[in-house]
Structures are given as C-alpha cells and as structure tokens.
Amino acid sequence: ATIRRLDHQHEKDEAEEAVFLGWMNWKLSQYPNQAERRQMLHLFDDLADGVALCQLAELLTKKSLRFNK
C-alpha cells in the first residue's frame, strides 16, 4: 500500500510539473523580445539561471526589470 501511494504521489507530481511547465511556456511565449524568449524543457534546469523567472515576473507585473542575461 505504501509503494502504491508513493507511485501515485510521483505520478501526481509529474502531472503538476507538466501543467506548470506548459503554463510557463505559454506565458513566456508572450515575452516581447523574441530573440530573448525562453522555451522551458526541464523545469528545474531551465529555471536555474533565473532568466526565465525574471521574464515571467516582467510579464506578470507588466514592469521591466534589469537583470543580467
């Protein structure tokens, strides 16, 4: 029963990550500078440098941020 519960939780986590990744890609596709637009493939790896998070923050707040790309 415990292994089944862990498998179910793992499947649920993967599904949630896939949905969030899809949402991030949808939002990032709206980034105005096409040359700097990010495509997320692996959630944690692609968020590691912070650029996609800054772009997302700019899109959500509609304010420009200064950050190193």
Side-chain angles (χ1 to χ4, degrees):
T2 301
I3 292 174
R4 233 183 282 150
R5 218 174 314 150
L6 290 174
D7 284 343
H8 177 69
Q9 184 62 44
H10 181 71
E11 289 173 7
K12 183 179 173 186
D13 291 346
E14 285 182 341
E16 289 174 357
E17 184 177 326
V19 169
F20 185 65
L21 192 63
W23 178 81
M24 287 279 296
N25 280 322
W26 171 71
K27 284 305 287 181
L28 291 172
S29 72
Q30 300 167 14
Y31 196 72
N33 187 338
Q34 189 171 3
E36 295 178 3
R37 236 178 245 165
R38 291 288 178 108
Q39 172 73 26
M40 307 281 293
L41 300 174
H42 305 286
L43 186 62
F44 295 105
D45 295 337
D46 294 339
L47 290 176
D49 66 3
V51 174
L53 286 174
C54 289
Q55 290 179 350
L56 181 63
E58 286 182 336
L59 290 165
L60 295 175
T61 63
K62 296 183 172 80
K63 293 182 180 178
S64 182
L65 300 175
R66 281 191 269 159
F67 58 94
N68 294 328
K69 296 175 178 133

